[in-house]
Amino acid sequence: MIFSSVFHELAAILLLAGVIGVLALKLRQPLIIGYILTGILVGPAALGWVSGGSELKLLSSIGISVLLFVVGLKLDVGLIRSVGPVALATGLGQIVFTSLFGFLIALALGYGPVPAIYIAVCLTFSSTIIIVKLLSDKREIDSLHGRIAVGFLVVQDIAVILAMILLSSFTTQGDGGIAAQAIRLLLVGSAFVLGTAATMRWVMPPLLGRLAQNQELLVLFAVGWAVGLAALADAVEFSKEVGAFLGGVSIASTAYREAIASRLTGLRDFLLLFFFIDLGSGLNLSAAGLQFGPALVLSLFVLVGNPLIVVAIMGWMGYRRRTGLLAGLTVAQISEFSLILAALGLQLGQLGEAEVSLITLVGVITIALSTYMILGSDQLYRWLRGPLRLFERRNPFSEIAGSSSGPARVDVILLGLGRFGGAIHRQLRPHNLSILGIDFDPQALRLAAAQGLPVQYGDSEDPEFTSSLPLSSATVVVSTLPSLEANTAIHHGLQTAGFRGHFIATAHDEAEVAKLEFLGAQRTLLPFLDAAERAAELIVEDLVDLRAQLGTRAA
């Protein structure tokens, strides 16, 4: 230890984590990768700043409790009911496939049955935090594949809680054998679930109503409730992670869950920093080096096998291959929960340092590579759309069912039914034009259809979507998507389909206008600039009128 106090040690670790975090963002990597690398650097294998001190582990445990508490907050009954058949089938199918074949691969690599079970389970789960962040950055969280992905991530979150209960409750040295442990698990688990239900029904609504008068007190209570239930569960040898999760569930049906979750997100991310640093600092580099070969095999299985099983299931259920691939790429990495499970196995004595090092390596490899795969998903689809035809039905009935109410002939095809597209539609309606609205968001389609607009499902960035449009009768195609890449793909699709009418695109700024005109757009809309010019005209008109009124009064 080269620091005179724990405070100095933590200060140095946080500064180093900040520097490495900046580098991770420059490389477009999730911060989890940076945190694990920070832990490796400050651990005994490199700088030797930490030696597994209790302070770091305490902050790590609190971070895990807050993480599970926030997950519980998100899993209210209404959300679970809203998970559709495709999310449920895809989530469960991917879990079964990955667990079974992951177990067989681990056995083939020479691991024992218990470590192989842990490895298989850890390969199963994907990171909700990372996926939601990446989809939000790409503005795809509300797309069809984004909603399906979030749906089966909910299924995974429920499954990971069950896995934690089972793996933490059945120890290899339990008294009385497996039957006694099963009875104890059933009794303790039932008591916790019943207590959570009673608290949710009779205690939390009035209590939170009083606490909500002070936001700081509300957050303090939430953290205390999360850590307190985790401590109680740990005291009765159940699972502190599950205790914290049930604490979140007990608040999930109240009106205050969103306020609590939003305020705890920053605290959760900060405290999880210490878990990943603790994990990285405890990584045995010599053991990790020996596990590099098996880690590559398992990483390839996760990066290729997990997306393919999702594509296959969604194709069988009637979804297009592109939707299946974009949703499938979200499971091409393992989760922070996988690393938590590995640490839990080490704590229970069911895993050794070698297996924990293996799982950590797989996490680093898959998270790093899958991030680039998701960010470059459109290019990846263009490369793979030929082979992926194997997984698509001739009639992708689920994706097109109820999504098309378009007329046989149209004057204007309107791509994008957001705020700008919806406003254009309202302005065109008085002109007695036949308009067909296109969007990939089912909610936007339902809203537009309710307003009387004929609609059709379509993803404009899909190179093949133009084949489903009635281009032979259309005079104008209007894209309200302010994305140069999307408009390029649309124009290419229109050219391929032989469209002879006008293509009107939308741009963010004047620099994109020149590119779109060079591309072949007959007109380019600038919603922000046009709105600003119109706003300036109205302001000037008001100023002139006001000055005229004031001048009249003065005279």
Side-chain angles (χ1 to χ4, degrees), residues 412-441:
V412 179
I413 297 177
L414 189 60
L415 305 177
L417 299 175
R419 284 180 294 181
F420 185 46
I424 291 177
H425 166 237
R426 288 190 293 271
Q427 296 297 321
L428 290 176
R429 286 174 70 176
H431 297 277
N432 296 320
L433 296 172
S434 177
I435 306 169
L436 175 64
I438 309 291
D439 207 295
F440 61 81
D441 183 356

Side-chain angles (χ1 to χ4, degrees), residues 109 111 119 284-298 353-359 361-362 365:
L109 291 172
Y111 296 96
I119 292 169
N284 188 327
L285 291 183
S286 60
L290 296 175
Q291 302 298 323
F292 192 72
L296 286 179
V297 174
L298 294 173
E353 287 187 357
E355 290 82 11
V356 174
S357 299
L358 170 69
I359 294 168
L361 277 177
V362 173
I365 294 171

Side-chain angles (χ1 to χ4, degrees), residues 486-498:
N487 285 310
T488 302
I490 292 167
H491 184 263
H492 176 71
L494 293 175
Q495 280 189 320
T496 303

Side-chain angles (χ1 to χ4, degrees), residues 308 311-312 314-316 319 321 387-393:
L308 280 182
V311 175
M314 290 184 63
W316 178 75
Y319 288 85
R321 51 193 155 152
L388 289 177
R389 193 182 299 274
L390 175 68
F391 301 102
E392 182 178 285
R393 288 175 179 255

